[in-house]
Amino acid sequence: MAEITAALVKELREKTGAGMMDCKKALNETSGDLEGAIDWLRKKGLAAAAKKAGRVAAEGLVGVVTEGKKGAVLEVNSETDFVARNDKFQDFVANATKVVLTAGADIEQVKAAPYGNGKSVQDELTALIATIGENMNLRRGQVLEVGQGVIASYIHNAVAPGLGKIGVLVALESSGDEAKLQEIGKQIAMHIAAAQPQFLDTSSVDQDALNRERDVLTEQAKASGKPEEVIAKMVEGRLRKYYEEVVLLEQVFVIDGETRIKKVIENAAKEVGAPVAITGFARVVLGEGIEKEESDFAAEVAAQAGR
């Protein structure tokens, strides 16, 4: 009988996508024979996840949870929107998001963290893939925390409490009234969902992004044929417009259409009885940046009929 080493268990897990304990059991049942263990897992339906791992998963849900001075957001992808309405999938996303609160935003750490039923998060996900029959994966998470104040949240296109298509967290540091802070935070979180800011303030704008924007605006201004000093002023004016588009504190509040977010925060201080500062935000959009496969439904039906 071959020795059941950690490396052998790891290899079997990578080949099949099955849980660690199931891999150990399979190797024990087959006296350490790797190919036999793969067949054993397939017969038990535990290797189903491996067959689905290559399929594009761009649907699913974003989960958001807040607890005390901390909040977490997690994106879990599936292949179809239908799965997002599955109670078991919803329960998994909600519970996995809570794990992010303690395990942190690193997805590998989240996968390895205890799910709460004797399994790891990854093992629970693998079992869910086998049950539902679609590829699924934990894509990204974020955590925000304040020393004092609140973490406010918002879910857009919610299918259940804390679950939807866009998840937003915003951190408000303040010693003021927490109930009022939550109200203001919720409004700002809704603004973030709609206005899509990329940076908190002008000092946090990525320098490479700023340089690229400056180069584009300079070339555009040169086309006007105006003198260099005029071109410089035109570029600076257009850069201010760029800030208003991508910087949260420079954006116009979508709820009233006229007040800048930095002014909204200044006004909030009077309402809550203490200075308020936005120290961070997170905005996670389901499937953002994933290249989806284009499918011809009619061709699919025809192909199925021809089988």
Side-chain angles (χ1 to χ4, degrees):
M1 175 178 173
E3 183 186 357
I4 312 300
T5 64
L8 193 59
V9 173
K10 181 174 182 288
E11 185 178 356
L12 179 58
R13 189 174 185 184
E14 288 174 350
K15 285 180 179 292
T16 64
M20 183 177 68
M21 298 307 296
D22 291 324
C23 288
K24 282 184 178 179
K25 186 173 182 181
L27 288 165
N28 282 321
E29 291 286 336
T30 58
S31 301
D33 177 49
L34 186 63
E35 293 303 318
I38 292 172
D39 289 342
W40 188 91
L41 287 167
R42 288 180 64 194
K43 289 172 184 175
K44 299 291 184 182
L46 297 171
K51 299 178 182 179
K52 302 173 179 68
R55 305 206 299 239
V56 175
E59 298 295 340
L61 287 171
V62 175
V64 166
V65 63
T66 59
E67 191 174 289
K69 307 295 182 186
K70 206 170 184 180
V73 57
L74 175 69
E75 178 182 2
V76 184
N77 296 130
S78 62
E79 291 179 54
T80 66
D81 183 58
F82 179 76
V83 170
R85 299 190 291 275
N86 182 292
D87 290 342
K88 289 182 179 179
F89 182 73
Q90 291 181 9
D91 287 344
F92 173 80
V93 177
N95 290 331
T97 307
K98 291 175 185 175
V99 172
V100 176
L101 272 178
T102 53
D106 183 88
I107 289 299
E108 292 307 312
Q109 290 184 17
V110 175
K111 288 179 180 178
Y115 184 73
N117 58 356
K119 296 181 180 179
S120 70
V121 171
Q122 181 59 53
D123 287 345
E124 182 66 20
L125 180 60
T126 299
L128 191 63
I129 292 170
T131 300
I132 293 179
E134 282 197 13
N135 184 29
M136 303 172 203
N137 63 273
L138 305 179
R139 187 180 179 210
R140 52 182 169 161
Q142 284 185 257
V143 177
L144 290 183
E145 191 170 4
V146 292
Q148 59 177 356
V150 302
I151 301 293
S153 66
Y154 171 66
I155 280 284
H156 188 65
N157 286 342
V159 298
L163 301 172
K165 302 296 186 183
I166 301 175
V168 178
L169 295 173
V170 58
L172 298 181
E173 286 273 0
S174 178
S175 59
D177 184 285
E178 291 194 1
K180 291 180 179 178
L181 280 171
Q182 279 289 357
E183 291 177 16
I184 294 162
K186 176 71 175 290
Q187 289 187 332
I188 292 173
M190 293 172 71
H191 166 92
I192 291 168
Q196 307 174 42
Q198 298 174 37
F199 309 100
L200 174 60
D201 53 30
T202 53
S203 66
S204 63
V205 174
D206 179 74
Q207 195 59 47
D208 289 339
L210 185 61
N211 290 339
R212 287 195 301 272
E213 189 68 17
R214 190 186 295 274
D215 288 344
V216 170
L217 294 175
T218 299
E219 289 304 312
Q220 289 175 346
K222 282 180 179 178
S224 68
K226 291 184 168 55
E228 286 294 324
E229 61 272 18
V230 176
I231 288 173
K233 289 180 180 177
M234 289 172 65
V235 169
E236 290 309 309
R238 291 175 183 178
L239 274 178
R240 284 194 293 274
K241 182 68 176 174
Y242 171 71
Y243 284 138
E244 290 168 8
E245 291 174 356
V246 301
V247 175
L248 175 59
L249 293 180
E250 302 299 321
Q251 289 180 331
V252 173
F253 195 25
V254 295
I255 290 178
D256 69 10
E258 56 184 39
T259 312
R260 298 206 183 280
I261 295 295
K262 59 185 176 184
K263 187 64 178 176
V264 172
I265 294 302
E266 286 178 26
N267 294 340
K270 302 169 190 173
E271 193 173 335
V272 305
V276 181
I278 300 178
T279 56
F281 70 90
R283 179 181 184 272
V284 175
V285 180
L286 180 67
E288 187 176 47
I290 298 176
E291 187 174 342
K292 299 182 182 180
E293 293 179 332
E294 297 295 330
S295 61
D296 184 332
F297 183 69
E300 286 181 18
V301 173
Q304 291 288 337
R307 285 184 180 177

